[in-house]
Amino acid sequence: MRGTGKGKVKGKAKAPPAKTLILQKPVIAVTGSAGKTTTKEMIADILSRRWNIYKSMYNRNFLGNTRAHIKRIKSEHKAAVLEFGMTNSGHIKKHCQMIQPSMSVITNIGTAHIGNFGGLINGVAMAKSELIRHMKPTGTVFLNMDCEYSRKLTEKPYVGAFAGAFVTVGIESEADYRAEDIVVDEKGIHFTCVFAGEREAFYLPMLGEHNIYNALFAIAVSRALGFPIGVVRDGLRSFQAQRKRLTRYRLANNVQVLDDTYSSNPDAAKAAIDVLCQVGSGTKVAVLASMLEMGNYEVVGHEDVGRYLSEKDVDYLYTIGKSARHIARAAIRSGFPSNRVIHCQTKARLHRLLAKRIGPDTSFLVKGSHRLKMGETVLFLCKETVRQYQQPK
């Protein structure tokens, strides 16, 4: 297969795209607005228990990374598990033109990169659905039925000439793989997966009920590939979450810090707030930075997070960054006490104020896009807590 793109760049004709790599083995591609890396890692961990597999490393999901996979996937690999990222229309199509997936997972359609689509989520949905239209036409697509926009991906014009199968997951909605009996404890989540008339218990050692969707995708893909349920269960039970994705640090005097500083968008921020409320104890403090690449959705998206937080069991809100001021303002307008909202322009001021907020039985959530380096605030809170509570020798 060859692409048909034509055009000129700086007076030179574009080189024709390389021939699509079509492998005679399962190629599982994962995309979505949130949960891509975690879902990819869960699938890879389970499959690697029986097979020699190739997987994309970490969150390296750009076009250059996919191009590099072509030479690295070897005959001894029984399957490939790849993460396809995008920031604009056409990116997913280009991934598929390099390596054609036979199985595709779209975790959800949300507000990540929505600024590149005129602030319209329909644009995000159409761009993500390139994975369906350009994968193996007789392959299998896995969708989240609890996601309003994912449900539409079985319709024209999202599917194009795709004639394969759709497999669904969900919690609230009817789905092929559905989670029930969800119980959250201090270290993770117990749930029952109902599928094909069976009920199987699973444990996921991760915070955040949103991770159940990632686990359901991993179960569905693994079962589609014939993996025994016991292997799937063991793979999820021993799964280790990626750093900076709700990583939990327990410190002296019952101070804890939730590090969710890899990326941020309105949906992810609300999910992180839920986790703070679920596992936090005593005083709960949310530290929220600006969310990037929001475009025309910038004000609406940040205000949405502020309104959401105002309805939750959070005691203090600290915001940082120009756009994050909309989170603070919306929270106050929605009834959150104004004397418990602090907006900062600099990290230096933020850290000075947070140092005063550290106290026994206090839980902090730090959330922000990777480029804002909010991991520095996580490190500050951890070091400052140690300094304040260090016992004299």
Side-chain angles (χ1 to χ4, degrees):
M1 295 173 59
R2 290 186 180 273
T4 58
K6 297 180 180 179
K8 293 185 178 182
V9 178
K10 295 183 180 180
K12 294 182 179 180
K14 280 186 177 180
K19 184 177 180 180
T20 303
L21 179 61
I22 301 177
L23 298 170
Q24 301 306 310
K25 64 184 73 179
V27 176
I28 303 103
V30 182
T31 194
S33 294
K36 293 186 294 296
T37 302
T38 301
T39 300
K40 180 260 300 180
E41 291 291 336
M42 284 182 179
I43 294 169
D45 278 14
I46 294 169
L47 299 189
S48 64
R49 288 175 169 259
R50 289 287 181 92
W51 293 354
N52 178 13
I53 70 160
Y54 178 91
K55 72 171 182 176
S56 52
M57 296 299 293
Y58 310 112
N59 61 309
R60 295 172 183 168
N61 57 28
F62 295 112
L63 294 170
N65 303 125
T66 298
R67 191 174 295 111
H69 298 327
I70 294 173
K71 294 182 178 179
R72 295 172 182 168
I73 299 174
K74 305 298 183 183
S75 59
E76 60 263 29
H77 293 131
K78 198 166 182 180
V81 188
L82 310 176
E83 182 176 338
F84 286 1
M86 61 156 242
T87 56
N88 221 320
S89 297
H91 288 179
I92 299 295
K93 176 182 178 180
K94 290 178 180 177
H95 283 292
C96 294
Q97 287 176 333
M98 286 186 266
I99 303 177
Q100 186 183 60
S102 55
M103 305 177 80
S104 295
V105 177
I106 301 178
T107 59
N108 48 48
I109 305 294
T111 49
H113 308 299
I114 195 170
N116 296 336
F117 299 90
L120 300 175
I121 199 163
N122 277 328
V124 179
M126 183 57 72
K128 293 293 185 186
S129 68
E130 291 173 12
L131 186 57
I132 302 174
R133 295 192 296 281
H134 299 284
M135 66 178 289
K136 181 181 179 182
T138 56
T140 306
V141 176
F142 299 82
L143 297 176
N144 179 351
M145 291 302 285
D146 288 346
C147 171
E148 175 186 358
Y149 290 90
S150 292
R151 290 196 294 269
K152 298 179 180 180
L153 298 185
T154 59
E155 305 169 359
K156 297 272 186 187
Y158 300 105
V159 299
F162 179 76
F166 288 94
V167 176
T168 58
V169 307
I171 299 174
E172 303 296 333
S173 305
E174 289 299 320
D176 297 314
Y177 290 80
R178 188 167 183 263
E180 296 181 351
D181 306 327
I182 298 169
V183 178
V184 179
D185 63 25
E186 278 292 300
K187 296 182 180 180
I189 307 166
H190 299 266
F191 67 94
T192 298
C193 182
V194 181
F195 62 96
E198 299 182 41
R199 298 178 63 87
E200 296 288 347
F202 291 90
Y203 179 71
L204 193 61
M206 299 176 68
L207 301 176
E209 289 189 33
H210 57 282
N211 282 308
I212 296 174
Y213 293 105
N214 304 331
L216 288 173
F217 281 123
I219 296 168
V221 170
S222 302
R223 291 296 291 161
L225 292 172
F227 274 60
I229 201 67
V231 174
V232 181
R233 182 183 292 111
D234 291 344
L236 291 179
R237 176 174 287 276
S238 62
F239 182 74
Q240 295 186 355
Q242 307 297 297
R243 290 181 62 248
K244 298 182 180 293
R245 289 174 170 84
L246 287 170
T247 304
R248 187 182 194 182
Y249 297 101
R250 295 175 180 270
L251 307 168
N253 283 26
N254 201 29
V255 174
Q256 59 179 327
V257 180
L258 294 172
D259 178 358
D260 201 27
T261 60
Y262 174 71
S263 64
S264 190
N265 61 65
D267 297 328
K270 289 188 280 188
I273 291 167
D274 286 343
V275 174
L276 172 64
C277 296
Q278 289 168 358
V279 305
S281 60
T283 303
K284 301 180 186 68
V285 182
V287 183
L288 306 180
S290 296
M291 297 176 286
L292 305 180
E293 296 182 344
M294 300 293 289
N296 296 339
Y297 197 71
E298 176 187 350
V299 175
V300 174
H302 285 84
E303 288 181 343
D304 186 30
V305 172
R307 285 191 296 270
Y308 188 83
L309 180 139
S310 71
E311 300 173 353
K312 299 299 177 177
D313 182 24
V314 176
D315 297 293
Y316 291 92
L317 169 63
Y318 290 77
T319 57
I320 180 170
K322 183 178 178 181
S323 299
R325 73 186 189 279
H326 299 298
I327 299 176
R329 289 175 181 174
I332 293 170
R333 289 170 183 162
S334 300
F336 198 89
S338 60
N339 63 338
R340 295 191 172 206
V341 178
I342 301 94
H343 179 69
C344 302
Q345 296 292 346
T346 67
K347 273 191 195 155
R349 181 169 186 265
L350 174 67
H351 291 179
R352 286 197 301 271
L353 296 175
L354 287 177
K356 299 176 182 178
R357 183 57 55 203
I358 294 172
D361 202 25
T362 302
S363 299
F364 295 90
L365 163 69
V366 184
K367 179 70 174 169
S369 295
H370 183 68
R371 276 163 40 199
L372 298 180
K373 299 181 179 180
M374 291 304 292
E376 295 172 353
T377 299
V378 172
L379 184 60
F380 170 80
L381 285 168
C382 293
K383 288 185 174 181
E384 182 64 15
T385 300
V386 171
R387 188 191 69 80
Q388 288 190 24
Y389 293 121
Q390 189 174 31
Q391 296 297 322
K393 294 181 180 180

